[in-house]
Amino acid sequence: MTTNTNQPTRIFLKDYKAPSFKVQSIDLFFNLHEKETQVKAKQSIEKLEETPLVLNGEGLKLLSIRIDGIELSAADYFVTEDSLTVRTAPDYFTLETIVEINPEENKSCAGLYLSNGIFATQCEAEGFRNITYFLDRPDVMTSYTVSIEADKKKYPVLLSNGDLISKKQIGNGRHLAVWRDPFKKPSYLFALVAGDLGVVEGSFITKSGKEVKLEVYASHGKQDRCFHALLSLQKAMKWDEERFGLEYDLNQYMIVSIDDFNMGAMENKGLNIFNSRLVLADPESATDNDFMRIESVVAHEYFHNWTGNRVTCRNWFELSLKEGLTVFRDQEFSSDLHSRAVERIKNVDALRARQFAEDAGPNAHPVRPESCLAVDNFYTATIYEKGAEVIRMMYTIVGKDGFRKGMDNYFKEYDGKAVTILDFAKSIAEPNNVDFTQFKLWYSQSGTPEVNVTENYNADNKEYSLTLKQFCKPTEKEPSKEAFHIPLLIGLLDPTGNDYKLNSKDIAYNSDGKALISLKKEEETYLFTDISDKPVLSLNREFSSPIKLHWNATQAELLHIIKFDKDSFNRREACFKMILQELRSLIADYHSKKELRPNPEIIEAIGYILLDKKIDAQFKSLMLQIPGDDFIAQEEDILDAKAFQAANHSITIAFVQKYESAILELYHAHHKLDSIGDRALKNHLLFYLVEANHPSSISIAFEQFSAAKSMTDKINAIVALCHTDSEERQKALHEFLNRWKEDAVVFNKWLQVQASSRITKTFDIVKKITTTPPFNPENPNNIYSLHSVIGRNHFVMQREKEKTYAWFCDEIIRIDKINPQVAARLCSCFNFVKKFPDEIKEIAQKEIGRVLAEPNLSKNSRELLEGCI
Ligand code: BES
Ligand code: ZN
């Protein structure tokens, strides 16, 4: 679905215009053939204003066009590369078109395509126009009836949205199924699947007593791996009823797993289509993280049924209306089902690694962008993760009950409509009597706000004052920014580690009784009285606002928080901050060619966490985590991966030397236990041992690999071994490949572990893999697992800069020709390029320039690379 034009046009939010035609209904008829599929579309249309009818359509061969049963003559209409225009249309009419498309040739995974012999569609954002001529925009909602004809033997399962109306045998070994979706929907939610698939069935009884049939489809033989997704779906349905009062509205809910898919999963009405790596799971093939991720993605797509499908986006600039809100909802779901603290920490880690980086880089944009080249490029960490943070701030301001009132209000007012982010904000504000005027700047200004902290304690009158000053770095498009409304959860710790009672007129309590200060001006001072000793500040608890907090805490203050803060997020945050500070000072030493000697106090503090028996295993593994390159790069002016690695290495060595026996002992102790937390901590300790070249690390890792019953233990052992250049590494990789080479899901793990390795041969190995089966150079998952992973492996990319960037850019060019969306994702690996050391930057930018000079480069890739040079 490439639009190959040298001068792609930018589209603007301010240019939004309501549609001039209304589509009352559409009947679609698919005559499925691998190479020549005919799509007949019959639309009942009402003209709302006097203007030609311009339909979207790309890569379609128009065979016939009729209005009210009469074939149009050449003078009545014209077709371009991406549109069909009917010059004059009656007030009410039926438009019938017949087009031909070639699903087999379509490698873009957008529109209608074949994945391993299965016909599947992907229409979000603008894929429907690759299937038929239509007003392909989310504010055109209509009801669909879909007939599918196909070879019965090859394609026994025929699915579309809504309810199955009929299914019958017709001549020639073909059969026909008819589906009708009773809910009006935008075209991006249309779906069709045809193939020979196995199915696992279940059901759910809604709170009003309706039985919903649940089905998870996957290739034959994979049914045993579908139960986790089914169970997750049932949990999600129940949760949405309990937490938001939202019930499912159709009689049937289907999930289909396919191997070629650009994204993770898609919420098509009643017929979700999933990337197989986000459906299929059993302990032998999937890790603990995979299980958690699948549960949350299944839930996410289910939650879209209300936040996205019933209430949808007016246009794609409003994407965060459904994605930010639904990410917030899936995060809440996981937090209610598992550890809230662990969920929050993991989500914030991801936010900082991806979104903060994006917001500081060449492709920074607001949650509600003002313009774009390619709509597909909107699926960013900012729209998703920052969008979810903005919702979370509203939630923090009004509290749990207040938020529920707002959500009820939102559905009451907007069910069945296509609306905007500002409509949502209004729905939450109204019943809570809050004013979001300033708050809404979070939607229109890009960049991560930074807040400086100044503290003052007066022992004589027992007063503590806190001064906060906010700023947000200007960007090219936004040279100056207005002050944000920043809600901050706060606590002050006394010397015993308890929270002081907060006496201050500046504190508000939300409906959950949490203490909150609101920074609204550029600078504000908050005064607290009756504070008997100098307190330790615990600010931005739960990471209530997505900001960078600059707080010069002493080592003693950080330790106090690590030991006592009742806010788990800030306990872990204090560890992170402490290690980050040390990394940065070591990086500075590295640059001034000093010997790297980690501060023994820091090593002892890490040891204190290691030895603390009260900290549960999973949380301990998070507290012991060393910040990664993406995170350090945001604090440093230069992303010098070699220096980062040297700093990391020196801390690890010092830690392992000092705590060798405790680490080994803990490793073995948790190895005997068998929970998610035990595995997380144990594997974390294993990485420490390997990173520090501990003499027994390789044998421990290999033993773990050989004995492992779960994928979690297997893959973590290989990850550890992959950082060594050992025989055991070879053996493990070889064995793993033999076991899984035919498995489209698990094979990706074999790719990932090698592409993330730091060893010298990594680049040569990766390059060779791309030309050796079973690597499939057209499969999105294979590319994400290999290319995207090495692309973010700055240590390897920078070390072999003469070869790596040229190869990487060749691959972008190759992939861009077949699948622009996947190519664009690779382009995002260059997010940090402007921070690379000069010599490396020059090489990388030269290669990027070469990609940009490609005459037919897609607008997707172009948009992402333009800011990189
Ligand atoms: N609607 C998206 C999927 C999508 C976006 C498909 C753009 C095609 C183009 C879906 O709801 C989604 O957000 N999926 C995420 C996973 C989710 C758990 C955040 C994805 O696919 O990565
Ligand atoms: Zn989504």
Side-chain angles (χ1 to χ4, degrees), residues 570-619:
N570 269 358
R571 280 182 82 194
R572 172 4 171 84
E573 182 71 359
C575 300
F576 215 61
K577 191 173 163 76
M578 185 181 75
I579 303 176
L580 184 67
Q581 277 171 359
E582 184 59 16
L583 281 171
R584 294 194 63 197
S585 115
L586 290 164
I587 291 167
D589 289 348
Y590 181 90
H591 286 309
S592 37
K593 310 228 171 344
K594 285 196 204 141
E595 196 186 329
L596 302 192
R597 287 216 202 124
N599 176 352
E601 275 182 37
I602 305 289
I603 301 300
E604 253 167 58
I606 305 176
Y608 167 83
I609 298 162
L610 179 80
L611 301 176
D612 189 340
K613 294 203 169 68
K614 293 191 298 295
I615 306 176
D616 86 70
Q618 185 159 29
F619 198 66

Tab-separated table of all heavy atoms in Angstrom, residues 570-619:
chain	number	residue	atom	x	y	z
A	570	ASN	N	8.574	4.787	44.426
A	570	ASN	CA	9.705	5.639	44.790
A	570	ASN	C	10.854	4.882	45.448
A	570	ASN	O	12.001	5.306	45.370
A	570	ASN	CB	9.236	6.810	45.657
A	570	ASN	CG	8.876	8.020	44.790
A	570	ASN	OD1	9.014	7.966	43.568
A	570	ASN	ND2	8.417	9.089	45.417
A	571	ARG	N	10.551	3.771	46.096
A	571	ARG	CA	11.649	2.944	46.627
A	571	ARG	C	12.529	2.478	45.477
A	571	ARG	O	13.743	2.566	45.515
A	571	ARG	CB	11.090	1.702	47.329
A	571	ARG	CG	10.595	1.950	48.705
A	571	ARG	CD	10.113	0.652	49.313
A	571	ARG	NE	11.203	-0.137	49.863
A	571	ARG	CZ	11.084	-1.415	50.207
A	571	ARG	NH1	9.934	-2.040	50.033
A	571	ARG	NH2	12.113	-2.058	50.702
A	572	ARG	N	11.889	1.954	44.458
A	572	ARG	CA	12.648	1.472	43.305
A	572	ARG	C	13.302	2.663	42.571
A	572	ARG	O	14.445	2.593	42.112
A	572	ARG	CB	11.683	0.702	42.436
A	572	ARG	CG	12.030	0.171	41.050
A	572	ARG	CD	13.385	0.315	40.501
A	572	ARG	NE	13.585	-0.416	39.267
A	572	ARG	CZ	13.258	0.033	38.069
A	572	ARG	NH1	12.629	1.172	37.918
A	572	ARG	NH2	13.558	-0.678	37.006
A	573	GLU	N	12.567	3.777	42.526
A	573	GLU	CA	13.082	4.959	41.854
A	573	GLU	C	14.383	5.430	42.511
A	573	GLU	O	15.335	5.833	41.831
A	573	GLU	CB	12.019	6.064	41.904
A	573	GLU	CG	12.374	7.364	41.211
A	573	GLU	CD	12.390	7.238	39.698
A	573	GLU	OE1	12.142	6.133	39.177
A	573	GLU	OE2	12.674	8.252	39.036
A	574	ALA	N	14.422	5.359	43.831
A	574	ALA	CA	15.628	5.780	44.547
A	574	ALA	C	16.812	4.882	44.187
A	574	ALA	O	17.938	5.358	44.009
A	574	ALA	CB	15.375	5.772	46.052
A	575	CYS	N	16.564	3.586	44.055
A	575	CYS	CA	17.651	2.676	43.625
A	575	CYS	C	18.142	3.067	42.243
A	575	CYS	O	19.341	3.161	41.976
A	575	CYS	CB	17.171	1.232	43.508
A	575	CYS	SG	16.543	0.544	44.987
A	576	PHE	N	17.182	3.268	41.358
A	576	PHE	CA	17.480	3.574	39.969
A	576	PHE	C	18.317	4.853	39.883
A	576	PHE	O	19.315	4.929	39.178
A	576	PHE	CB	16.145	3.764	39.244
A	576	PHE	CG	16.147	3.274	37.829
A	576	PHE	CD1	16.394	1.945	37.534
A	576	PHE	CD2	15.873	4.143	36.782
A	576	PHE	CE1	16.375	1.485	36.220
A	576	PHE	CE2	15.856	3.697	35.460
A	576	PHE	CZ	16.103	2.367	35.190
A	577	LYS	N	17.876	5.838	40.641
A	577	LYS	CA	18.543	7.137	40.639
A	577	LYS	C	19.970	7.004	41.162
A	577	LYS	O	20.913	7.562	40.604
A	577	LYS	CB	17.740	8.083	41.536
A	577	LYS	CG	18.118	9.537	41.466
A	577	LYS	CD	17.114	10.354	42.290
A	577	LYS	CE	17.635	11.729	42.611
A	577	LYS	NZ	17.583	12.642	41.484
A	578	MET	N	20.090	6.224	42.220
A	578	MET	CA	21.410	6.032	42.825
A	578	MET	C	22.367	5.366	41.823
A	578	MET	O	23.491	5.819	41.625
A	578	MET	CB	21.230	5.158	44.070
A	578	MET	CG	22.454	4.942	44.879
A	578	MET	SD	22.048	3.874	46.283
A	578	MET	CE	21.920	2.286	45.456
A	579	ILE	N	21.913	4.321	41.184
A	579	ILE	CA	22.789	3.613	40.238
A	579	ILE	C	23.072	4.490	39.014
A	579	ILE	O	24.189	4.536	38.510
A	579	ILE	CB	22.186	2.248	39.833
A	579	ILE	CG1	21.930	1.392	41.078
A	579	ILE	CG2	23.101	1.508	38.869
A	579	ILE	CD1	21.237	0.061	40.811
A	580	LEU	N	22.046	5.216	38.582
A	580	LEU	CA	22.228	6.091	37.422
A	580	LEU	C	23.280	7.170	37.703
A	580	LEU	O	24.155	7.440	36.868
A	580	LEU	CB	20.896	6.732	37.043
A	580	LEU	CG	20.925	7.587	35.787
A	580	LEU	CD1	21.173	6.721	34.559
A	580	LEU	CD2	19.618	8.342	35.603
A	581	GLN	N	23.191	7.759	38.885
A	581	GLN	CA	24.182	8.790	39.251
A	581	GLN	C	25.591	8.208	39.189
A	581	GLN	O	26.529	8.823	38.690
A	581	GLN	CB	23.920	9.305	40.674
A	581	GLN	CG	22.859	10.382	40.730
A	581	GLN	CD	22.450	10.744	42.156
A	581	GLN	OE1	22.953	10.179	43.128
A	581	GLN	NE2	21.519	11.665	42.283
A	582	GLU	N	25.725	6.998	39.688
A	582	GLU	CA	27.037	6.358	39.708
A	582	GLU	C	27.499	6.046	38.279
A	582	GLU	O	28.655	6.280	37.931
A	582	GLU	CB	26.967	5.084	40.567
A	582	GLU	CG	28.278	4.361	40.757
A	582	GLU	CD	29.358	5.223	41.411
A	582	GLU	OE1	29.005	6.280	41.991
A	582	GLU	OE2	30.541	4.844	41.314
A	583	LEU	N	26.584	5.550	37.467
A	583	LEU	CA	26.937	5.269	36.064
A	583	LEU	C	27.449	6.534	35.398
A	583	LEU	O	28.467	6.532	34.696
A	583	LEU	CB	25.716	4.775	35.295
A	583	LEU	CG	25.287	3.320	35.448
A	583	LEU	CD1	23.922	3.105	34.784
A	583	LEU	CD2	26.312	2.371	34.815
A	584	ARG	N	26.747	7.632	35.629
A	584	ARG	CA	27.115	8.877	34.964
A	584	ARG	C	28.474	9.370	35.426
A	584	ARG	O	29.264	9.889	34.636
A	584	ARG	CB	26.044	9.944	35.201
A	584	ARG	CG	24.719	9.570	34.531
A	584	ARG	CD	23.796	10.730	34.466
A	584	ARG	NE	24.358	11.783	33.643
A	584	ARG	CZ	23.938	13.032	33.651
A	584	ARG	NH1	22.934	13.380	34.445
A	584	ARG	NH2	24.506	13.938	32.891
A	585	SER	N	28.764	9.172	36.701
A	585	SER	CA	30.071	9.635	37.145
A	585	SER	C	31.179	8.729	36.575
A	585	SER	O	32.256	9.192	36.220
A	585	SER	CB	30.068	9.789	38.673
A	585	SER	OG	30.938	8.912	39.279
A	586	LEU	N	30.883	7.458	36.428
A	586	LEU	CA	31.865	6.554	35.809
A	586	LEU	C	32.049	6.861	34.323
A	586	LEU	O	33.154	6.777	33.781
A	586	LEU	CB	31.441	5.099	36.000
A	586	LEU	CG	31.530	4.575	37.446
A	586	LEU	CD1	30.743	3.280	37.608
A	586	LEU	CD2	32.986	4.362	37.868
A	587	ILE	N	30.949	7.228	33.666
A	587	ILE	CA	31.060	7.582	32.238
A	587	ILE	C	31.955	8.821	32.081
A	587	ILE	O	32.805	8.887	31.184
A	587	ILE	CB	29.656	7.807	31.626
A	587	ILE	CG1	28.909	6.480	31.544
A	587	ILE	CG2	29.746	8.454	30.244
A	587	ILE	CD1	27.415	6.583	31.261
A	588	ALA	N	31.778	9.756	32.988
A	588	ALA	CA	32.639	10.953	32.947
A	588	ALA	C	34.096	10.549	33.156
A	588	ALA	O	35.000	11.029	32.451
A	588	ALA	CB	32.195	11.949	34.013
A	589	ASP	N	34.333	9.658	34.099
A	589	ASP	CA	35.715	9.176	34.315
A	589	ASP	C	36.262	8.509	33.056
A	589	ASP	O	37.409	8.693	32.682
A	589	ASP	CB	35.756	8.163	35.472
A	589	ASP	CG	35.532	8.833	36.813
A	589	ASP	OD1	35.582	10.087	36.860
A	589	ASP	OD2	35.295	8.121	37.807
A	590	TYR	N	35.413	7.751	32.426
A	590	TYR	CA	35.842	7.044	31.217
A	590	TYR	C	36.281	8.057	30.159
A	590	TYR	O	37.318	7.901	29.521
A	590	TYR	CB	34.681	6.195	30.684
A	590	TYR	CG	35.008	5.407	29.441
A	590	TYR	CD1	35.523	4.117	29.519
A	590	TYR	CD2	34.811	5.963	28.174
A	590	TYR	CE1	35.818	3.392	28.372
A	590	TYR	CE2	35.104	5.252	27.019
A	590	TYR	CZ	35.605	3.959	27.130
A	590	TYR	OH	35.902	3.254	25.988
A	591	HIS	N	35.468	9.096	30.011
A	591	HIS	CA	35.812	10.097	29.000
A	591	HIS	C	37.085	10.851	29.364
A	591	HIS	O	37.812	11.284	28.482
A	591	HIS	CB	34.643	11.070	28.794
A	591	HIS	CG	33.514	10.457	28.024
A	591	HIS	ND1	33.693	9.813	26.836
A	591	HIS	CD2	32.185	10.372	28.291
A	591	HIS	CE1	32.536	9.358	26.383
A	591	HIS	NE2	31.603	9.681	27.263
A	592	SER	N	37.351	11.013	30.666
A	592	SER	CA	38.615	11.687	30.993
A	592	SER	C	39.735	10.666	31.259
A	592	SER	O	40.687	10.945	31.966
A	592	SER	CB	38.434	12.677	32.152
A	592	SER	OG	37.533	12.185	33.088
A	593	LYS	N	39.521	9.489	30.706
A	593	LYS	CA	40.546	8.436	30.705
A	593	LYS	C	41.031	8.044	32.099
A	593	LYS	O	42.186	7.686	32.291
A	593	LYS	CB	41.748	8.856	29.824
A	593	LYS	CG	41.381	9.338	28.438
A	593	LYS	CD	42.248	8.666	27.403
A	593	LYS	CE	41.874	8.874	25.958
A	593	LYS	NZ	40.609	9.362	25.554
A	594	LYS	N	40.147	8.162	33.069
A	594	LYS	CA	40.510	7.723	34.418
A	594	LYS	C	40.163	6.249	34.584
A	594	LYS	O	39.324	5.716	33.868
A	594	LYS	CB	39.717	8.528	35.443
A	594	LYS	CG	40.197	9.932	35.619
A	594	LYS	CD	39.609	10.494	36.908
A	594	LYS	CE	39.548	11.998	36.867
A	594	LYS	NZ	38.358	12.557	37.449
A	595	GLU	N	40.777	5.648	35.564
A	595	GLU	CA	40.418	4.263	35.851
A	595	GLU	C	39.008	4.249	36.457
A	595	GLU	O	38.656	5.142	37.229
A	595	GLU	CB	41.412	3.702	36.875
A	595	GLU	CG	41.362	2.195	36.955
A	595	GLU	CD	42.258	1.698	38.084
A	595	GLU	OE1	43.279	2.382	38.355
A	595	GLU	OE2	41.920	0.680	38.682
A	596	LEU	N	38.213	3.267	36.117
A	596	LEU	CA	36.847	3.246	36.626
A	596	LEU	C	36.786	2.519	37.963
A	596	LEU	O	37.010	1.313	38.036
A	596	LEU	CB	35.905	2.573	35.620
A	596	LEU	CG	35.845	3.193	34.227
A	596	LEU	CD1	34.673	2.635	33.442
A	596	LEU	CD2	35.747	4.711	34.295
A	597	ARG	N	36.505	3.283	39.000
A	597	ARG	CA	36.407	2.674	40.334
A	597	ARG	C	35.079	3.041	40.978
A	597	ARG	O	34.923	4.130	41.507
A	597	ARG	CB	37.522	3.202	41.222
A	597	ARG	CG	38.843	2.626	40.846
A	597	ARG	CD	39.682	2.406	42.094
A	597	ARG	NE	41.056	2.352	41.673
A	597	ARG	CZ	42.019	3.117	42.130
A	597	ARG	NH1	41.757	3.985	43.087
A	597	ARG	NH2	43.231	3.007	41.664
A	598	PRO	N	34.120	2.139	40.923
A	598	PRO	CA	32.808	2.462	41.487
A	598	PRO	C	32.907	2.802	42.972
A	598	PRO	O	33.722	2.220	43.690
A	598	PRO	CB	32.011	1.177	41.283
A	598	PRO	CG	32.738	0.425	40.230
A	598	PRO	CD	34.175	0.814	40.318
A	599	ASN	N	32.063	3.723	43.368
A	599	ASN	CA	32.002	4.152	44.754
A	599	ASN	C	31.569	2.980	45.645
A	599	ASN	O	30.479	2.437	45.475
A	599	ASN	CB	30.986	5.307	44.803
A	599	ASN	CG	30.745	5.800	46.208
A	599	ASN	OD1	31.202	5.209	47.182
A	599	ASN	ND2	30.005	6.897	46.304
A	600	PRO	N	32.412	2.592	46.613
A	600	PRO	CA	32.092	1.423	47.449
A	600	PRO	C	30.771	1.573	48.209
A	600	PRO	O	30.077	0.591	48.458
A	600	PRO	CB	33.257	1.338	48.431
A	600	PRO	CG	34.292	2.279	47.958
A	600	PRO	CD	33.709	3.191	46.950
A	601	GLU	N	30.396	2.828	48.505
A	601	GLU	CA	29.124	3.029	49.215
A	601	GLU	C	27.921	2.592	48.367
A	601	GLU	O	26.940	2.068	48.870
A	601	GLU	CB	28.937	4.516	49.542
A	601	GLU	CG	29.601	4.930	50.822
A	601	GLU	CD	29.321	6.412	51.099
A	601	GLU	OE1	28.197	6.865	50.810
A	601	GLU	OE2	30.248	7.087	51.571
A	602	ILE	N	28.053	2.849	47.072
A	602	ILE	CA	26.961	2.454	46.173
A	602	ILE	C	26.896	0.932	46.087
A	602	ILE	O	25.815	0.327	46.122
A	602	ILE	CB	27.189	3.036	44.754
A	602	ILE	CG1	27.359	4.547	44.807
A	602	ILE	CG2	26.077	2.627	43.801
A	602	ILE	CD1	26.110	5.311	45.117
A	603	ILE	N	28.064	0.352	45.969
A	603	ILE	CA	28.097	-1.111	45.877
A	603	ILE	C	27.478	-1.708	47.144
A	603	ILE	O	26.712	-2.674	47.084
A	603	ILE	CB	29.558	-1.609	45.688
A	603	ILE	CG1	30.154	-0.984	44.413
A	603	ILE	CG2	29.630	-3.133	45.644
A	603	ILE	CD1	29.417	-1.303	43.129
A	604	GLU	N	27.784	-1.079	48.278
A	604	GLU	CA	27.203	-1.586	49.523
A	604	GLU	C	25.692	-1.406	49.569
A	604	GLU	O	24.968	-2.263	50.080
A	604	GLU	CB	27.826	-0.868	50.719
A	604	GLU	CG	28.771	-1.788	51.466
A	604	GLU	CD	29.625	-1.033	52.454
A	604	GLU	OE1	29.040	-0.381	53.342
A	604	GLU	OE2	30.862	-1.089	52.318
A	605	ALA	N	25.241	-0.307	49.027
A	605	ALA	CA	23.790	-0.086	49.003
A	605	ALA	C	23.102	-1.142	48.138
A	605	ALA	O	22.042	-1.664	48.496
A	605	ALA	CB	23.484	1.313	48.476
A	606	ILE	N	23.731	-1.459	47.012
A	606	ILE	CA	23.143	-2.509	46.159
A	606	ILE	C	23.168	-3.835	46.932
A	606	ILE	O	22.206	-4.621	46.895
A	606	ILE	CB	23.911	-2.644	44.815
A	606	ILE	CG1	23.965	-1.291	44.088
A	606	ILE	CG2	23.257	-3.690	43.927
A	606	ILE	CD1	24.786	-1.291	42.803
A	607	GLY	N	24.276	-4.060	47.656
A	607	GLY	CA	24.393	-5.270	48.476
A	607	GLY	C	23.316	-5.326	49.554
A	607	GLY	O	22.755	-6.381	49.842
A	608	TYR	N	23.001	-4.157	50.102
A	608	TYR	CA	21.970	-4.099	51.137
A	608	TYR	C	20.631	-4.609	50.579
A	608	TYR	O	19.923	-5.394	51.213
A	608	TYR	CB	21.836	-2.653	51.635
A	608	TYR	CG	20.609	-2.418	52.467
A	608	TYR	CD1	20.597	-2.719	53.830
A	608	TYR	CD2	19.441	-1.925	51.874
A	608	TYR	CE1	19.437	-2.528	54.576
A	608	TYR	CE2	18.296	-1.739	52.614
A	608	TYR	CZ	18.294	-2.034	53.965
A	608	TYR	OH	17.159	-1.860	54.695
A	609	ILE	N	20.326	-4.181	49.355
A	609	ILE	CA	19.078	-4.631	48.719
A	609	ILE	C	19.136	-6.140	48.469
A	609	ILE	O	18.190	-6.882	48.749
A	609	ILE	CB	18.864	-3.892	47.381
A	609	ILE	CG1	18.731	-2.389	47.633
A	609	ILE	CG2	17.653	-4.423	46.641
A	609	ILE	CD1	18.954	-1.531	46.393
A	610	LEU	N	20.294	-6.559	47.970
A	610	LEU	CA	20.462	-7.984	47.663
A	610	LEU	C	20.168	-8.851	48.889
A	610	LEU	O	19.520	-9.889	48.797
A	610	LEU	CB	21.907	-8.227	47.181
A	610	LEU	CG	22.263	-9.675	46.833
A	610	LEU	CD1	21.750	-10.002	45.437
A	610	LEU	CD2	23.771	-9.902	46.899
A	611	LEU	N	20.677	-8.399	50.031
A	611	LEU	CA	20.609	-9.245	51.227
A	611	LEU	C	19.318	-9.083	52.022
A	611	LEU	O	19.035	-9.884	52.907
A	611	LEU	CB	21.804	-8.932	52.141
A	611	LEU	CG	23.175	-9.153	51.484
A	611	LEU	CD1	24.290	-8.726	52.422
A	611	LEU	CD2	23.362	-10.603	51.072
A	612	ASP	N	18.545	-8.043	51.719
A	612	ASP	CA	17.333	-7.790	52.504
A	612	ASP	C	16.283	-8.890	52.259
A	612	ASP	O	15.729	-8.999	51.170
A	612	ASP	CB	16.758	-6.415	52.111
A	612	ASP	CG	15.628	-5.996	53.040
A	612	ASP	OD1	15.045	-6.876	53.714
A	612	ASP	OD2	15.332	-4.784	53.095
A	613	LYS	N	16.041	-9.663	53.299
A	613	LYS	CA	15.127	-10.810	53.133
A	613	LYS	C	13.659	-10.387	53.043
A	613	LYS	O	12.797	-11.156	52.633
A	613	LYS	CB	15.298	-11.778	54.299
A	613	LYS	CG	16.660	-12.452	54.329
A	613	LYS	CD	16.573	-13.765	55.107
A	613	LYS	CE	17.816	-14.602	54.959
A	613	LYS	NZ	19.006	-14.022	55.613
A	614	LYS	N	13.382	-9.153	53.450
A	614	LYS	CA	11.977	-8.722	53.460
A	614	LYS	C	11.475	-8.316	52.067
A	614	LYS	O	10.281	-8.248	51.835
A	614	LYS	CB	11.796	-7.536	54.425
A	614	LYS	CG	12.014	-7.916	55.896
A	614	LYS	CD	11.585	-6.811	56.845
A	614	LYS	CE	12.363	-5.511	56.686
A	614	LYS	NZ	13.803	-5.588	57.022
A	615	ILE	N	12.415	-8.032	51.184
A	615	ILE	CA	11.975	-7.599	49.845
A	615	ILE	C	11.618	-8.827	49.014
A	615	ILE	O	12.432	-9.748	48.888
A	615	ILE	CB	13.093	-6.818	49.130
A	615	ILE	CG1	13.578	-5.662	50.020
A	615	ILE	CG2	12.615	-6.299	47.781
A	615	ILE	CD1	14.755	-4.893	49.439
A	616	ASP	N	10.433	-8.829	48.438
A	616	ASP	CA	10.066	-10.031	47.672
A	616	ASP	C	10.864	-10.101	46.377
A	616	ASP	O	11.367	-9.101	45.871
A	616	ASP	CB	8.544	-10.145	47.483
A	616	ASP	CG	8.047	-9.390	46.276
A	616	ASP	OD1	8.329	-9.822	45.146
A	616	ASP	OD2	7.384	-8.348	46.469
A	617	ALA	N	10.980	-11.330	45.883
A	617	ALA	CA	11.953	-11.604	44.822
A	617	ALA	C	11.736	-10.750	43.574
A	617	ALA	O	12.687	-10.182	43.025
A	617	ALA	CB	11.916	-13.084	44.470
A	618	GLN	N	10.482	-10.637	43.160
A	618	GLN	CA	10.253	-9.903	41.914
A	618	GLN	C	10.619	-8.426	42.060
A	618	GLN	O	11.250	-7.832	41.186
A	618	GLN	CB	8.786	-10.019	41.509
A	618	GLN	CG	8.536	-9.376	40.168
A	618	GLN	CD	7.283	-9.882	39.513
A	618	GLN	OE1	6.341	-10.281	40.188
A	618	GLN	NE2	7.265	-9.881	38.205
A	619	PHE	N	10.244	-7.876	43.210
A	619	PHE	CA	10.547	-6.473	43.440
A	619	PHE	C	12.055	-6.274	43.570
A	619	PHE	O	12.618	-5.293	43.072
A	619	PHE	CB	9.807	-5.997	44.697
A	619	PHE	CG	9.707	-4.516	44.778
A	619	PHE	CD1	8.963	-3.815	43.854
A	619	PHE	CD2	10.381	-3.810	45.759
A	619	PHE	CE1	8.888	-2.433	43.900
A	619	PHE	CE2	10.318	-2.436	45.817
A	619	PHE	CZ	9.569	-1.738	44.882
